[in-house]
Amino acid sequence: MDCELKKGGQCGDCDQCGRCDLQKQADETLYTMIIYSENFAGILNQVTAVFTRRQVNIESLNVCASSTPGVHKYTITCYCTEEMAKMLTKQIEKKIDVLQAHYFTDSEIFILEACLIKVNTPILLENKDVSRIVRKHGARIVEVNPTYSIIEKKGMTEDIISLFQELNKLGVVLQFVRSGRIAVTKSTEERLDKYLEEMERLRK
């Protein structure tokens, strides 16, 4: 559908960029990829290059140290087909320093995001709807000064976006930032631990 009619385009020409949400194929799903690698410089470039070669846009990316010493965890989200998700994880696992790569749908993992919203304090104090919206979404105000206030919210992506959109309609938002997704699997077994145990057994 023409973005000019829907007003949903990111660049004004969906036929050219292909990134507009309206252009996503019906069989594309938001997949979360959890990748474990050794902590060496340059791994992130190698991982993101796999997405670039396949022309898959990364929606969010979070990198942190895992509970295993010397191992880092990458949590990446992207819209693609399941076939593409399989291909991406297989290509990533071929990288020398990558230990494991798996893809998941939202129903297979526990998800959390966080955001900070800077709002105009005079409007916050004047308009009672601002505080009402904050309470409705389970957010909290963590900083208040005469010029601006900071609202913090943790939860699902949809809840965070909904909070921002409601506050933004009131003209109170000065800045908005959200973190990348963090996630853990619902599986009772930790695949990385089993993999490392097997590698240790083979070394003996």
Side-chain angles (χ1 to χ4, degrees):
M1 187 172 291
D2 193 342
C3 278
E4 187 177 347
L5 298 178
K6 295 295 289 183
K7 297 183 180 179
Q10 296 177 10
C11 69
D13 190 350
C14 284
D15 292 333
Q16 292 298 318
C17 78
R19 295 176 57 202
C20 178
D21 289 346
L22 299 172
Q23 296 297 103
K24 289 185 173 67
Q25 300 298 318
D27 57 349
E28 285 190 346
T29 302
L30 181 65
Y31 284 100
T32 299
M33 299 181 184
I34 297 179
I35 303 155
Y36 293 96
S37 79
E38 297 187 61
N39 185 20
F40 294 127
I43 300 298
L44 180 58
N45 285 339
Q46 294 182 46
V47 170
T48 56
V50 175
F51 290 84
T52 302
R53 284 198 299 271
R54 299 292 177 182
Q55 296 186 327
V56 175
N57 188 51
I58 293 175
E59 299 293 325
S60 69
L61 187 153
N62 181 283
V63 183
C64 65
S66 73
S67 58
T68 304
V71 175
H72 267 50
K73 181 178 181 179
Y74 301 72
T75 305
I76 301 174
T77 62
C78 67
Y79 281 98
C80 64
T81 62
E82 184 173 10
E83 181 182 3
M84 178 61 73
K86 288 180 181 179
M87 187 180 302
L88 289 168
T89 50
K90 285 181 179 179
Q91 290 296 316
I92 291 169
E93 276 198 328
K94 289 180 180 179
K95 303 301 178 182
I96 295 175
D97 298 315
V98 171
L99 303 174
Q100 279 191 330
H102 303 284
Y103 67 92
F104 304 91
T105 61
D106 284 0
S107 63
E108 298 172 309
I109 52 179
F110 290 103
I111 305 161
L112 182 68
E113 282 192 21
C115 79
L116 294 174
I117 305 175
K118 181 195 281 188
V119 298
N120 184 296
T121 297
I123 298 178
L124 168 65
L125 298 176
E126 178 184 331
N127 191 337
K128 294 181 180 179
D129 284 341
V130 177
S131 297
R132 178 184 58 79
I133 291 170
V134 170
R135 290 193 301 271
K136 183 182 78 170
H137 285 273
R140 65 190 186 112
I141 299 174
V142 295
E143 169 70 18
V144 178
N145 64 50
T147 305
Y148 64 84
S149 301
I150 304 296
I151 298 170
E152 177 192 69
K153 166 71 179 172
K154 297 175 183 176
M156 300 290 287
T157 307
E158 296 79 7
D159 299 331
I160 288 173
I161 296 300
S162 177
L163 170 63
F164 164 71
Q165 289 176 340
E166 288 193 46
L167 291 174
N168 200 41
K169 288 178 182 178
L170 300 178
V172 69
V173 176
L174 300 175
Q175 290 183 34
F176 170 68
V177 63
R178 44 187 275 244
S179 70
R181 170 179 290 191
I182 58 174
V184 293
T185 65
K186 293 182 179 179
S187 172
T188 56
E189 64 179 25
E190 183 55 63
R191 298 182 185 183
L192 178 64
D193 291 343
K194 291 188 68 175
Y195 171 82
L196 294 176
E197 288 173 4
E198 180 64 18
M199 291 300 98
E200 184 63 26
R201 186 185 66 81
L202 293 174
R203 289 193 190 101
K204 294 179 180 179

